[in-house]
Amino acid sequence: MPQVGAPDLDCEVVVVGAGFAGLYAIHALRENGFSLKAFESGTSVGGTWFWNRYPGARCDVESLAYQYSFSQELVDEWTWTERYATQPEILAYAEWVADRLDLRREITFNTRVSRAVYDEDAAYWTVETDDGSLTTARFVVAASGSISAPQVPPLEGINDFAGETYHPGRWPAEGVDFTGKRVAVIGVGSSGIQLIPEVAKFAEKLVVVQRTPAYTLPARNRPLYEDEILCARRNHVELAERARHTHSGINLPIPGDLLLETEEPKRTIMLEKNWHLGGNLFISAFPDVTSDLEANEIMAEFVRHKLRTIVEDPEVARKLTPTDYPIGGKRIPTDTNYWATFNRNNVKLVNVGDEPIVRATRNGIQTTETTYEVDAIIYATGYDNLTGALTRIDIRGRDGLSLQESWSGGAHTYLGLATVGFPNLFTITGPQSPSVLANMFASIEQHVEWIAETLCALRDREVLSIEATPSAEEWWADQVDEAVENTLYLHAKSWYRGTNVEGKAPKFLVYTGGLDVYRRICDDIASDNFRGFSLEGAKSAKPTQEKVTV
Ligand code: NAP
């Protein structure tokens, strides 16, 4: 990359984060000849899988799909052991990839990016880390994660509690022994639902505080068969290519008939069959369930019936039953023995709808009915998803514009990759991209490859800065809104809409049109001279700018 007119930069690209997005970005950019530095706040690689060490943590995408697809060697040399990999196994995979591709030498660990300031005249970023160091680079690639900024609720008295407190996303590396302890878990999203059965095995008493009951699907985890692994390796190129051009980035079975058009008894037989396949295969079996409320209600009622057959106490079953939003309207957790855990004598369900939390006290949690005295509280209360990891960094674009302020009315981006006012900043799986509603590996690979190819094109043309135009952002916002109108996501409150964070502007934050459609849009824009981006050509430090808006 020519550094025309710019001060001597420390490198061409700074990569923020060394999770799976950051690792692939480092690899892809380095392979394309870019000099780079990466910063990671953890002491090793893995990102979300480095931090989420809570008991029961495992992926809800099948292992053979939840891995890098860009390299046949990586696929051949790593052997997954279970249908759904555990957190330790996924973390070991991240460590192994980092070593196998020799990525660690580019990464400064234990170092958090605290600030990034863009110099508009010379088109470069100065990135500040929490050790006070400054690094200058032409581009910043934010691989800071979609679900990586933990949040705890603004509960009155939260600091008065004298016991231990935990968040799944910041779990102690040495683990926690709950044997004989009284524990409260607040939150029954994917994290809570995975850890509750595990904590219940050891705790003397477990109080589960639920605000919204979850539809949860049995994972039906099992060891992987050697044949499956060999078959996936042998057909990897073809399977990966096919997956890249699917809606979800996963080769799911072709959906069957519409649920509404399937007569009884075939309907129940099909639901039963798919229920026993487990996980997301259940919801993806019928194409109308995610778009038609009537079809959705049939499936939801089937799941509620399953719940009632598992939970022995009818009153507990009633409290656990989701009724006021469609199945799949919020992220569906996959579980192992979650509902059955409520049959244990040491587990108590507290439904916030029946007894609202008043405050935390020195000894536990006070509700309108009583105080639950506990030794530890686990805040499984989620994250400031999709935007939090970015807005928690003080990012300053043109004219000192702060990203946090710019997004205060809701994140606005072009393709989820770039934002007006912040030239030369790319976000991997950023808000308004398919990200969390597709296989994260597929989303990450598509973004990293698009960014790497874009930077190569800019280098070839001696372009120094690239920035989304306001009209392109508006167009993309319309695409995001139009796509979600055809789904049931707007019928539930969820973190996809930002409703889980107090004060966050309500806005649907994921592109739901599918990874296949999205990929075509991104490729089309790149090949059409980066339509919707403003490119600035080579210039001197006091520039005469060649500004090309395309
Ligand atoms: P989450 O889905 O946002 O769930 C947070 C839970 O905390 C919800 O039940 C929420 O209730 C509750 N909550 C929040 N504030 C509360 C309050 N003040 N009082 C009572 N309850 C409160 O967070 P998560 O479980 O950490 O999962 C986040 C995402 O990470 C998942 O959706 C998934 O995409 C990903 N994840 C994946 C896996 C996996 O692969 N298996 C595992 C864990 C996480 P409301 O529903 O009422 O807001």
Side-chain angles (χ1 to χ4, degrees), residues 54 58 60 153 187-191 194 211-212 330-331 380 382 495:
Y54 61 86
R58 78 171 66 234
D60 59 2
V188 295
S190 300
S191 306
Q194 286 187 333
R211 187 165 65 184
T212 309
K330 292 161 86 85
R331 179 80 172 199
W495 58 259

Side-chain angles (χ1 to χ4, degrees), residues 49 52 54 57-61 147 151 153-155 167-168 186-194 209-212 330-331 334 352 357 380-383 385 436 493 495-496 500:
W49 297 104
N52 277 266
Y54 61 86
R58 78 171 66 234
C59 191
D60 59 2
V61 174
I147 308 175
Q151 72 144 359
L155 194 60
H167 188 287
I186 304 181
V188 295
S190 300
S191 306
I193 280 176
Q194 286 187 333
V209 181
Q210 164 196 275
R211 187 165 65 184
T212 309
K330 292 161 86 85
R331 179 80 172 199
T334 53
V352 170
I357 302 176
T381 44
Y383 298 81
N385 297 290
V436 291
K493 286 186 187 165
W495 58 259
Y496 300 142
N500 64 324

Side-chain angles (χ1 to χ4, degrees), residues 431-487:
Q432 299 185 321
S433 73
S435 66
V436 291
L437 285 176
N439 176 3
M440 282 306 274
F441 270 93
S443 293
I444 285 169
E445 289 189 338
Q446 186 263 336
H447 264 185
V448 168
E449 286 159 16
W450 191 91
I451 292 167
E453 283 164 23
T454 298
L455 293 194
C456 288
L458 301 186
R459 174 174 57 191
D460 292 347
R461 293 159 59 173
E462 300 193 353
V463 169
L464 292 187
S465 82
I466 178 167
E467 182 183 356
T469 64
S471 58
E473 271 198 352
E474 281 167 31
W475 173 78
W476 186 242
D478 289 344
Q479 306 310 302
V480 174
D481 291 348
E482 272 171 34
V484 78
E485 287 298 327
N486 298 322
T487 71

Side-chain angles (χ1 to χ4, degrees), residues 203-262:
E204 179 194 308
K205 176 176 139 192
L206 177 63
V207 179
V208 176
V209 181
Q210 164 196 275
R211 187 165 65 184
T212 309
Y215 297 98
T216 168
L217 302 176
R220 306 211 189 279
N221 188 38
R222 57 167 174 77
L224 278 176
Y225 308 120
E226 202 180 337
D227 296 5
E228 294 174 277
I229 297 169
L230 292 178
C231 179
R233 283 183 186 150
R234 207 173 300 125
N235 300 304
H236 171 66
V237 172
E238 188 198 329
L239 290 172
E241 186 56 17
R242 202 191 304 156
R244 280 185 198 114
H245 299 284
T246 60
H247 186 89
S248 62
I250 304 175
N251 288 317
L252 293 167
I254 297 166
D257 299 336
L258 297 180
L259 194 54
L260 281 181
E261 290 180 2
T262 309

